[in-house]
Amino acid sequence: MGVLISLLIGCVVAFAAPLLNRAAGSRAGVILALLPLGLTAYFATFVPRIAAEGALRQSIAWVPALNVNLSFYVDGLSVLFALIISGVGFFIVLYGSGYLKGHRDLGRFYLAVTLFMVSMLGVVLADNIITLFVFWELTSFTSYLLIGFNHEQERARKAALQALLVTGTGGLALLGGLILMAFVGGSYEISELLNQGEVLREHGLYTAILILVLAGCFTKSAQFPFHFWLPAAMEAPTPVSAYLHSATMVKAGVYLMARLHPALGGTDLWILLLAGFGAATMVIGSWLALCHSDLKRILAYTTVMGLGTLTMLLGIGQTEYAVVAVAVFTLAHSLYKGALFMVAGSIDHEAGTRDVGEVGGLRKAMPITAAAALVAALSMAGIVPFFGFIAKEFVYEAALAAGSLPRLLLALAILANVAGVAAAGIVALKPFYGPVRTTPKHPHEAPIAMWAGPVVLALLGLLFGLAPGLIAAPLINPVAGAIAGAPVSVELVLWHGFTPVLGMSLMTLALGIGVFFLWNTWRESRFARGFNRAFGVAPENAYFRTIDGMLWIAHWQTRIFQSGYLRHYLTTVIGVTAFAVGFTLLSRHGLVLPGGWSAITFYEWTLAGIMAAGALVAVFARSRVTMVVAIGAVGFSVALIYLANSAPDLSITQIMVETLTVVLFALVLIHLPSLRPVESRASRLRDAAVATALGAAVTLVMLTVLTEPISPHLTEYFGAHSYVTAHGRNIVNVILVDFRALDTLGEIVVLGIAGLGVFALVKLRAKKRRDGGADV
Amino acid sequence: MNAIDALAILPLIIVAAGALVVMLVISFYRNQTVSALLTIITLVTAIVSLPTAGGVAPHMVGSLLRIDAFALYYIGLILLASLAVTVLSHSYFEKYRMERGEFYILLLLSVLGALVLPATTHFITFFLGLELLSVSLYVMVGYIFTKERALEATIKYLFLAAATSAFLLFGMALIYAYTGSMAFYDVAVVTQIERTPNPLLLAGAALIFVGAGFKLSVVPFHQWTPDIYQGAPAPVTAFLATVSKAAVLAVVLRFVHQAGLLAHPGTFTALAVIAVASMTIGNLLALFQDNIKRILAYSSIAHFGYLFVALLSAGELGLEAATFYLTVYMTAVLGAFGVVSYMTPADREADTVADYRGLFWRRPAIATTFAIMLFSLIGLPLTAGFMGKLLLVSAGIAANQWFLVLWLVLNSAVGLYYYLRIVVAMYTRVDSEQSDESHRPSTPPFALTIGAVLTVLVLIIVLMGVYPEPMLEWIRLITYRQ
């Protein structure tokens, strides 16, 4: 219950936030920040409980019919993420209150960001897959509102829509995968599916499940080639980027992969996909970061790198090093990246630009921010004694211990981290050191609300680095255990001694510093531009081309199928009908000619000939009168055939109808414009084809009726009863006047009423004309 | 007909009587509000009479109608939707200076036709219901005959409906010739006895499906949809999109399930092809549109493709999914067209995306309503649409229709794009200085009646999205008893 109540409180607070903002003014941020603070404290209480008792589960039925329960699963992994989400959330709300101070839509920011926090907590805590999906989509939706916060700007709106479309489409694939998984594993609860690992991995649908789930995770966690939305989403206000795009939302995919690792992980396909895409994302992201000079873009690409690293680690997965590395790196990354994003925002806010080339020497004006940036960057660069150092050591150890291609993975990890070191230097040193530059705004130190976050997060990075034992047993081990699916116990120490990995760390650092100094040369180089085009711009262009392509197909299809002409619509309907009927009969029955040709009399042959000739004349005639006459000939011949088969009443009806039709035609003809021949040969051919198809289909029906046994029920009934009960020899007549007498009466009444109606209309028209009224 | 028969079809009798009353009153006193009020009274009385009819259910009226829980549920649904349409029509037609009272006679007659269909167990009632529904609609579509688009729409609808009705009738005749009966039940007996169905029976079923498919506007009988949706007055479009389609879907569900046609692989394949084609083509066509009525028209094609997935997932879960999804869909579409009719000024229809730009900042309540309806149509979580889609997916998976389910999910992604475009437009602030006066979208004054209807619809969408359990229980009871 507790988890659900905490989330509900979050929701209520979220919707109260705009009102609070109006009422409390500038203090609203501080008051609102109490919510994430309280949540952090609440989730912190779970840490000792889980270490002592293991995972907890809470469940309330929601829609039992669909196996949807509001169930929550709290173990090490979810608590780590919950703590990051609420802890960073606390600083973000504070930071936002400073960053967006006086903004007219600040209330809306509070609403969306709090709602986002609640949904994100829901994602990492949910046990039921549908509940998880609901929260997952809510994060996409609230992130849409947050990225598009500056909705006056076209770019912000576009970026927001792009992020939503990419993650939303992935989310739907995820839903498919999750439901498949539930179907195969026999449960909608993740905690139960985790025990079904073998069943899932050996099922024929495993590949489908894995690919669909990964499609959701990869898009959400910005893995190559879906990484493009993340840098584009930098249009968001910086508190949003710091929160969503470093610490929380983009890690949702990583979270889910880690969560499902015991159920789906360990297969060749898993290793191939995760390690492959993860490593590629890691390298591409890290070097793309160096192709830009916008602080936020640099940070965004290094985030892509971090996410790639995590995915790669999960791909390696099977070793203790890998799972611990995931836990340690997740925490370390959230701490330093959150801090650096907020620093970048502060620079933007105070100096009016966030282009590295335009700022410099800010440390005098912004000493506290500069210090926080330095500490965070040292952690990011992986320098002793910061937490980032431990994280990097573990990444290298994990790569070395990988089951397949360890050398390659290690080389790629070093390659990526070299760029990471350089990027850390660029973000933390360039703006603050060197000569002072004039910036669009005169820089001041940011208000406390804006430096508190970076300072605390950066210091935490230092604290955990100096005393990793603080979190090892209570937090990291349960997380690693949850990912591995078995208890893990690792001692975190800062100093491993002089190991090969330490050597690699030193090499990374040296190379990174080298790259840092060569950065400007690299950024201007043709190789860097080509690299950016190939891996940064091209995937985004592919996205635009997909959208354009879909629109083009839509346009083409609209033009072809939705011409707006009734005759085209009718052609489709008739064509499809003829095909459906013709195909059914030909495939089921075939073309069977009935017997009894000799019974056909000379008269009937003649009449059939007249009808055929009439139809042909009607088709080829050049004047309407000829057509009407020809069609009339067909109709009258039909009437004569009825007569020849002793059905005089039917015959009379037919003759009357025909006469009426011809008269009506004649009346209308006067008002019609002169007949123009059908435009082109092509349309003539098409019309002929459609007409022939329908004619053939109807002929086929007639042939089938004649050769298939039809129900004898009616014939027998009327045959037996006509003479005996109704005293009539002509069955058709008997049906009309006796068996269906009421129907006939009804028909007569209908005819009568219709006649009255016509009379009324004629009278009305005459009266109007007499009165000189024009309106009918 | 005995007394129990009369009790069973009491809602139908009330609506028929209501149509007559409205007609008589109009001949003495012409006032749109009076006619609308009488219509509302009729519909409410019919709704109130439902428990009475339910008291004798299940009951066969001859071999023509079967009043059971399934029929009564759909009858209730149709009556409620018609009630909403009546309210929308009233405020919509207030803007026109023309004879408006007669509209409600047509509306009631059309409703009567629609009411017959869910209870239909016989070809005769099938055809009569369908024609009663359609013939009034021809006039309703072109009711504002001063608009060229409306006239064009009505002519198109008339011709296509006549052609497809002819096919339908021909199909019934073929089945009759073969089985000697027009009752669904007898057809079922024949299909159950014969392992390979007779070609005449299949050809007949195909022809009947042309008629039904036209009304449901599934591919390839879908082409009329956008033109008629756009041309007709917004409340009539809402009627077409909800009442007309629900009624026909109900009879198709009953016929397909009762006549056991799905057991035959050929029929199954044909319907599956229609489902896939409808989903794909409907969604693709909607992508390119800037006209909201056309977007809703094309997307309705896709939505009926989704519904066919449920139809093809035979069994109670499929029936349940179809019924729930249809209910949800009708609610959202009524809401969407409600907003469109509300926003429409007299001179033209407010139906382009541009008309809704920045609406969120001018009319937050209306814009939020519209957004919720669109979210439900997308199937976003916490709206009823999500639960509906979940149910469809579950039904499909339970019936092992992997491909169809996958296609449905993929297509939902396309839907995301075009529905969201409208939401994005509403959320985009228009700079009042930039847009010149003539292009400034109009914002009509608040109308109490329409506001009430929209509020109810929003409540339904949210309630069924957040807590659908009671509704699902109810629907399960209905489909189980059927």
Side-chain angles (χ1 to χ4, degrees), chain A residues 655-674:
Chain A
I655 288 173
M656 278 165 65
V657 169
E658 275 311 319
T659 316
L660 199 64
T661 320
V662 171
V663 169
L664 280 177
F665 264 133
L667 279 174
V668 174
L669 277 185
I670 310 167
H671 298 286
L672 285 180
S674 66

Side-chain angles (χ1 to χ4, degrees), chain A residues 254-292:
Chain A
V254 172
Y255 163 79
L256 191 61
M257 288 189 278
R259 169 58 79 218
L260 295 176
H261 177 253
L264 298 174
T267 60
D268 288 347
L269 188 65
W270 170 280
I271 295 171
L272 179 74
L273 289 175
L274 268 75
F277 278 97
T281 311
M282 175 177 72
V283 174
I284 291 169
S286 65
W287 286 89
L288 279 174
L290 299 183
C291 296
H292 296 269

Side-chain angles (χ1 to χ4, degrees), chain B residues 315-398:
Chain B
E316 271 156 30
L317 193 57
L319 210 58
E320 192 186 319
T323 306
F324 185 80
Y325 193 84
L326 186 75
T327 312
V328 170
Y329 174 74
M330 282 172 71
T331 317
V333 165
L334 276 176
F337 281 113
V339 172
V340 174
S341 0
Y342 167 75
M343 291 291 293
T344 292
D347 47 344
R348 58 184 194 93
E349 296 275 301
D351 54 3
T352 64
V353 174
D355 289 317
Y356 293 82
R357 184 145 296 154
L359 186 67
F360 184 78
W361 307 102
R362 285 176 282 138
R363 278 303 164 89
I366 284 287
T368 310
T369 305
F370 202 18
I372 289 175
M373 297 305 160
L374 294 171
F375 288 157
S376 182
L377 288 171
I378 296 174
L380 280 190
L382 299 188
T383 61
F386 174 69
M387 289 297 164
K389 229 164 234 175
L390 199 61
L391 209 55
L392 288 187
V393 169
S394 309
I397 285 179

Side-chain angles (χ1 to χ4, degrees), chain A residues 81-370:
Chain A
F81 274 91
L83 283 174
I84 294 178
I85 293 160
S86 49
V88 178
F90 167 70
F91 292 111
I92 292 297
V93 173
L94 277 186
Y95 186 86
S97 72
Y99 187 87
L100 294 170
K101 194 173 182 177
H103 194 287
R104 63 173 171 182
D105 292 329
L106 184 58
R108 197 156 53 86
F109 169 78
Y110 287 141
L111 166 68
V113 88
T114 314
L115 212 54
F116 169 79
M117 182 174 69
V118 173
S119 353
M120 196 60 216
L121 285 171
V123 169
V124 298
L125 292 165
D127 190 21
N128 187 284
I129 54 168
I130 303 297
T131 314
L132 179 121
F133 175 76
V134 169
F135 285 120
W136 180 282
E137 289 297 82
L138 279 177
T139 63
S140 292
F141 178 66
T142 42
S143 85
Y144 169 78
L145 292 177
L146 287 167
I147 298 174
F149 184 71
N150 293 316
H151 52 82
E152 292 92 347
Q153 288 166 15
E154 169 91 28
R155 284 162 59 107
R157 288 202 308 267
K158 270 214 162 127
L161 188 63
Q162 180 177 334
L164 183 55
L165 283 178
V166 173
T167 57
T169 311
L172 286 169
L174 175 71
L175 177 65
L178 289 175
I179 291 180
L180 271 184
M181 196 165 76
F183 181 72
V184 172
S187 169
Y188 277 71
E189 305 296 320
I190 292 174
S191 52
E192 284 167 35
L193 286 170
L194 293 182
N195 300 324
Q196 299 289 323
E198 266 170 41
V199 180
L200 287 167
R201 283 191 293 267
E202 270 151 36
H203 198 269
L205 286 166
Y206 172 74
T207 314
I209 294 175
L210 187 63
I211 288 177
L212 287 172
V213 169
L214 289 186
C217 296
F218 280 12
T219 46
K220 195 87 165 178
S221 280
Q223 298 295 302
F224 180 81
F226 307 114
H227 62 286
F228 57 86
W229 70 260
L230 183 55
M234 290 300 119
E235 293 297 331
T238 304
V240 174
S241 310
Y243 195 34
L244 273 65
H245 303 135
S246 72
T248 55
M249 187 179 93
V250 289
K251 291 222 175 77
V254 172
Y255 163 79
L256 191 61
M257 288 189 278
R259 169 58 79 218
L260 295 176
H261 177 253
L264 298 174
T267 60
D268 288 347
L269 188 65
W270 170 280
I271 295 171
L272 179 74
L273 289 175
L274 268 75
F277 278 97
T281 311
M282 175 177 72
V283 174
I284 291 169
S286 65
W287 286 89
L288 279 174
L290 299 183
C291 296
H292 296 269
S293 62
D294 174 358
L295 278 173
K296 281 183 76 179
R297 269 190 183 252
I298 297 174
L299 288 172
Y301 277 119
T302 56
T303 306
V304 171
M305 164 196 162
L307 297 167
T309 311
L310 285 168
T311 307
M312 181 186 80
L313 291 171
L314 284 167
I316 299 170
Q318 294 306 305
T319 62
E320 209 160 73
Y321 279 122
V323 288
V324 175
V326 171
V328 173
F329 191 86
T330 304
L331 183 56
H333 181 262
S334 301
L335 294 177
Y336 66 69
K337 195 53 66 65
L340 286 176
F341 259 117
M342 287 193 247
V343 167
S346 297
I347 295 174
D348 192 8
H349 194 257
E350 300 303 323
T353 175
R354 48 172 209 245
D355 192 295
V356 180
E358 293 175 20
V359 289
L362 283 174
R363 74 175 184 286
K364 292 201 184 73
M366 310 171 70
I368 305 174
T369 311

Side-chain angles (χ1 to χ4, degrees), chain B residues 272-296:
Chain B
V273 168
I274 288 176
V276 169
S278 301
M279 288 190 250
T280 323
I281 292 182
N283 274 323
L284 280 178
L285 283 170
L287 275 182
F288 201 67
Q289 278 307 322
D290 276 324
N291 184 297
I292 287 181
K293 279 168 137 188
R294 286 181 89 91
I295 290 179
L296 288 170

Side-chain angles (χ1 to χ4, degrees), chain B residues 80-138:
Chain B
L80 285 171
S82 310
L83 199 59
V85 169
T86 312
V87 176
L88 298 185
S89 308
H90 179 258
S91 76
Y92 183 92
F93 285 113
E94 276 293 298
K95 297 162 189 159
Y96 289 90
R97 311 174 123 267
M98 57 189 290
E99 302 297 349
R100 299 159 303 200
E102 287 87 346
F103 179 82
Y104 299 93
I105 310 173
L106 296 165
L107 184 69
L108 279 175
L109 286 174
S110 208
V111 171
L112 181 61
L115 291 182
V116 171
L117 289 176
T120 283
T121 53
H122 199 275
F123 284 140
I124 287 295
T125 31
F126 186 1
F127 189 72
L128 280 180
L130 199 70
E131 288 305 300
L132 193 53
L133 171 67
S134 308
V135 172
S136 317
L137 261 174
Y138 302 147

Side-chain angles (χ1 to χ4, degrees), chain A residues 378-394:
Chain A
L378 287 174
S379 186
M380 176 174 167
I383 290 169
V384 191
F386 296 92
F387 196 44
F389 172 73
I390 302 180
K392 192 162 59 174
E393 296 280 287
F394 268 106

Side-chain angles (χ1 to χ4, degrees), chain B residues 37-59:
Chain B
L37 261 179
L38 283 172
T39 309
I40 290 172
I41 292 169
T42 306
L43 292 170
V44 170
T45 320
I47 293 167
V48 170
S49 77
L50 281 175
T52 317
V56 295
H59 177 75

